[in-house]
Amino acid sequence: ATGNLNSAIEQYEKVRKHFPYYINAQINLLDLYSETGKTENAKALFNELFEKSPDNPRLLEYKKKFQQP
């Protein structure tokens, strides 16, 4: 299962590189980073996406987890 998650991460990273404003795909990547314990990657991606789309309901779920008080 971990191999599948890592493969999915690689694919979403490619999508992120080529389509930087495709927010939902990047939130999927954020989900995968969180699920696989890549917390620093998740925090950095959250901050980047939150700047682009602060009202996105899926990002608001992560706000409490990643945003500094």
Side-chain angles (χ1 to χ4, degrees), residues 7-69:
S7 178
I9 287 172
E10 289 177 18
Q11 294 303 314
Y12 277 115
E13 286 174 342
K14 288 178 185 176
V15 170
R16 180 176 178 226
K17 180 180 177 182
H18 295 290
F19 304 99
Y21 291 96
Y22 186 20
I23 301 297
N24 282 325
Q26 293 184 69
I27 295 172
N28 292 344
L29 178 58
L30 176 61
D31 291 338
L32 288 169
Y33 283 155
S34 295
E35 287 176 31
T36 57
K38 297 181 180 194
T39 308
E40 292 305 313
N41 294 47
K43 284 181 187 178
L45 182 55
F46 167 79
N47 289 329
E48 181 183 317
L49 294 177
F50 195 71
E51 279 187 30
K52 291 178 185 176
S53 185
D55 297 324
N56 186 299
R58 288 181 68 198
L59 286 176
L60 293 175
E61 294 174 25
Y62 279 100
K63 187 175 180 180
K64 291 179 186 173
K65 185 173 182 178
F66 292 127
Q67 224 175 29
Q68 302 300 326

